[in-house]
Amino acid sequence: MTSASKSPTKAEKSTGQIRLKNQQAILAAAAEEFALHGFKGTSMNSIAQRVGLPKANLHYYFNSKEGLYVEVMRNILDLWDSAFSNLTAEDDPASALAEYIRAKMEFSRRQPQASKIFAMEVISGGECMSEHFNHNYQEWFRGRADVFQAWIDQGKMDPIDPVHLIFLLWGSSQYYADHSSSICRVSGRSRQTKEDFAKATANLTHIILKGCGLTPPSKA
Amino acid sequence: MTSASKSPTKAEKSTGQIRLKNQQAILAAAAEEFALHGFKGTSMNSIAQRVGLPKANLHYYFNSKEGLYVEVMRNILDLWDSAFSNLTAEDDPASALAEYIRAKMEFSRRQPQASKIFAMEVISGGECMSEHFNHNYQEWFRGRADVFQAWIDQGKMDPIDPVHLIFLLWGSSQYYADHSSSICRVSGRSRQTKEDFAKATANLTHIILKGCGLTPPSKA
DNA sequence: GTCTATACGTTGATAGAC
DNA sequence: GTCTATCAACGTATAGAC
């Protein structure tokens, strides 16, 4: 009664659940649009239509288009960081690399939007992500490269520049997300199935492991 | 004297050289902008400013923004088609594959814009290129895949799905063009040098050839 | 919290003087 | 062929009633 707000009349949504729910719905719709047209190419209107809300509501929950975009990117980078377990120099190279390829391909399959938004941002110069790149990313990158270098120093794999190995892992796996429309045209299907990804992963694992001088881990 | 046009008063440019020169300047500027922001994200104004012409001139030479875009894409696809020599089943697999990787990486180095525009178009669904995809591309793709399959049938290389091998060749090489800004941030440089590309090509060639069960061709 | 109406810049495209 | 002036449509963002 004494409450001033109207829609959530009772304390039923007292913790701001509607707010959270709307925010997430907007973020999801924004991700779809940004993945299709990039930052500049996406309009607030198209996002609003996709969520089914007036576009004024978007500005109520997010200050500006750029603010919304940054939030979408932040979610993606969080997702990214949590998706891959850390490699260590003590791991068995073959199984660790195979597991990494599997996880990366699984990410391409389940989060293709994230890959696409990320790719568009990087192609456009990636200014928005400069802060992330200058800290977390470079550090993360060095960590992985050092692990590969340690394996090489221990004579466990061929002397391949770790930096370019990481580029290969990323480039080949993200291709299946970013270029999915092209892949579908070639294969004549409407979308890639789980089995398509399994086959792609198997092929990729075979080539990269063998190409690095590693023998595949036993199934057990 | 009897001529009606004004600027090219004499017959000095009788063959329409100014027209051709302007058209190409516009196309080059348009490619820069489309590579940065995609089709929707690019404005005619930004292109006009880059060429140093009023935007009305762009509409004089090209009917519409879409017409200009299609022309840019056509040029890119022509460039693409002419850049790679045809593989045949009679070739030596190792040297032919190495040569293909070299040519593809050289293309990423010298025509990064083309790769970026192409990538943006594909990420956005690639509707614009449906005609090309439905004819030249599928045919081209089948041709290459058949060559790889022939090599496999002849026992010259590991039984890797040719389709996924092509994806790997494309994905890994285009990564160096599309993600150049990301690569530069990691390496701390402002741009990738010729030597960077040489090293990347060598690593890629090593992994892919060995991964396919091929031994590198002798230098001679 | 929600939504209509609107301010005001930018967009693609054209008309028409030169 | 070139360029200024202009159009209607659409862009982001906000004001203010409910």
Side-chain angles (χ1 to χ4, degrees):
Chain A
M1 321 292 183
T2 52
S3 172
S5 60
K6 187 181 158 196
S7 291
T9 33
K10 298 190 176 183
E12 47 183 357
K13 306 275 185 180
S14 57
T15 50
Q17 289 180 1
I18 23 148
R19 180 177 194 90
L20 208 70
K21 187 176 157 236
N22 277 338
Q23 277 180 334
Q24 287 185 326
I26 293 170
L27 283 170
E32 292 272 1
E33 290 296 320
F34 285 135
L36 280 174
H37 306 117
F39 175 70
K40 283 197 69 176
T42 297
S43 74
M44 295 293 271
N45 208 348
S46 65
I47 298 173
Q49 279 185 287
R50 193 182 277 269
V51 247
L53 288 173
K55 63 177 174 175
N57 291 31
L58 273 60
H59 282 98
Y60 174 72
Y61 287 111
F62 301 90
N63 291 340
S64 66
K65 180 183 174 184
E66 191 170 344
L68 177 54
Y69 182 70
V70 169
E71 206 58 33
V72 168
M73 282 297 299
R74 214 178 54 77
N75 283 2
I76 289 176
L77 294 175
D78 286 350
L79 210 61
W80 217 284
D81 288 342
S82 64
F84 311 110
S85 59
N86 280 326
L87 304 180
T88 71
E90 287 72 35
D91 288 333
D92 170 57
S95 28
L97 209 51
E99 165 57 21
Y100 185 78
I101 293 171
R102 192 204 60 75
K104 195 79 178 55
M105 285 294 283
E106 184 71 3
F107 192 85
S108 281
R109 186 176 76 85
R110 304 189 65 150
Q111 308 283 348
Q113 288 169 23
S115 263
K116 288 181 182 181
I117 297 173
F118 187 80
M120 286 240 184
E121 173 64 26
V122 171
I123 291 175
S124 301
E127 289 307 325
C128 163
M129 311 168 55
S130 47
E131 123 198 17
H132 178 268
F133 266 114
N134 292 339
H135 301 89
N136 312 32
Y137 179 62
Q138 287 205 1
E139 189 181 340
W140 178 95
F141 201 97
R142 265 296 127 211
R144 302 301 159 106
D146 288 347
V147 171
F148 291 144
Q149 191 58 54
W151 287 343
I152 294 170
D153 293 341
Q154 296 166 14
K156 291 180 177 173
M157 64 179 270
D158 291 358
I160 289 149
D161 189 323
V163 168
H164 292 292
L165 176 54
I166 296 176
F167 291 158
L168 174 60
L169 293 170
W170 283 19
S172 56
S173 58
Q174 283 188 226
Y175 189 87
Y176 286 92
D178 303 342
H179 292 243
S180 60
S181 81
S182 167
I183 290 173
C184 287
R185 273 181 221 266
V186 169
S187 63
R189 301 183 210 212
S190 62
R191 68 179 202 88
Q192 297 179 85
T193 67
K194 199 174 176 179
E195 288 71 31
D196 291 332
F197 269 95
K199 189 165 184 180
T201 304
N203 271 283
L204 209 52
T205 306
H206 172 103
I207 297 180
I208 293 181
L209 261 61
K210 184 169 181 177
C212 291
L214 300 168
T215 45
S218 58
K219 264 289 175 181
Chain B
M1 321 290 185
T2 53
S3 171
S5 62
K6 187 182 158 196
S7 291
T9 31
K10 298 189 176 184
E12 46 184 358
K13 308 276 185 177
S14 56
T15 50
Q17 289 180 359
I18 26 152
R19 180 176 196 90
L20 208 71
K21 187 178 157 232
N22 276 339
Q23 277 181 333
Q24 287 186 324
I26 292 170
L27 284 170
E32 293 270 1
E33 290 296 319
F34 284 134
L36 281 174
H37 306 116
F39 175 69
K40 283 196 69 177
T42 298
S43 73
M44 295 294 269
N45 208 348
S46 65
I47 299 174
Q49 278 185 286
R50 194 182 275 271
V51 248
L53 289 173
K55 65 176 174 175
N57 290 33
L58 273 59
H59 282 97
Y60 174 72
Y61 287 110
F62 301 89
N63 291 338
S64 66
K65 180 185 173 182
E66 190 170 344
L68 176 53
Y69 182 71
V70 168
E71 204 59 31
V72 168
M73 283 296 298
R74 216 179 52 77
N75 283 2
I76 289 176
L77 293 174
D78 286 350
L79 209 61
W80 218 284
D81 288 342
S82 65
F84 312 111
S85 57
N86 280 328
L87 305 179
T88 72
E90 287 73 35
D91 289 332
D92 170 58
S95 27
L97 208 52
E99 166 57 21
Y100 185 79
I101 293 171
R102 193 204 58 76
K104 196 77 179 54
M105 285 293 284
E106 184 71 3
F107 192 85
S108 280
R109 187 175 76 86
R110 305 190 63 151
Q111 309 282 348
Q113 286 170 26
S115 262
K116 289 181 181 181
I117 296 172
F118 186 81
M120 286 239 184
E121 174 64 26
V122 172
I123 292 175
S124 301
E127 289 307 325
C128 162
M129 310 169 53
S130 47
E131 124 199 15
H132 178 267
F133 267 113
N134 291 339
H135 300 89
N136 313 34
Y137 179 61
Q138 287 205 3
E139 190 181 340
W140 179 94
F141 201 97
R142 264 296 128 214
R144 301 302 158 108
D146 288 346
V147 171
F148 292 144
Q149 192 58 55
W151 288 344
I152 293 170
D153 293 342
Q154 296 166 14
K156 291 180 178 174
M157 63 179 268
D158 292 358
I160 290 149
D161 189 324
V163 168
H164 292 293
L165 176 54
I166 297 176
F167 291 158
L168 175 60
L169 293 170
W170 282 21
S172 55
S173 57
Q174 283 188 227
Y175 189 86
Y176 286 93
D178 303 344
H179 290 244
S180 60
S181 80
S182 167
I183 290 172
C184 286
R185 272 182 223 264
V186 168
S187 63
R189 302 184 210 212
S190 62
R191 68 180 203 87
Q192 296 179 87
T193 66
K194 198 173 177 179
E195 289 71 30
D196 291 333
F197 269 94
K199 189 165 185 181
T201 305
N203 271 283
L204 209 52
T205 306
H206 172 102
I207 297 179
I208 293 181
L209 260 62
K210 185 169 181 177
C212 291
L214 299 168
T215 44
S218 57
K219 265 287 178 183

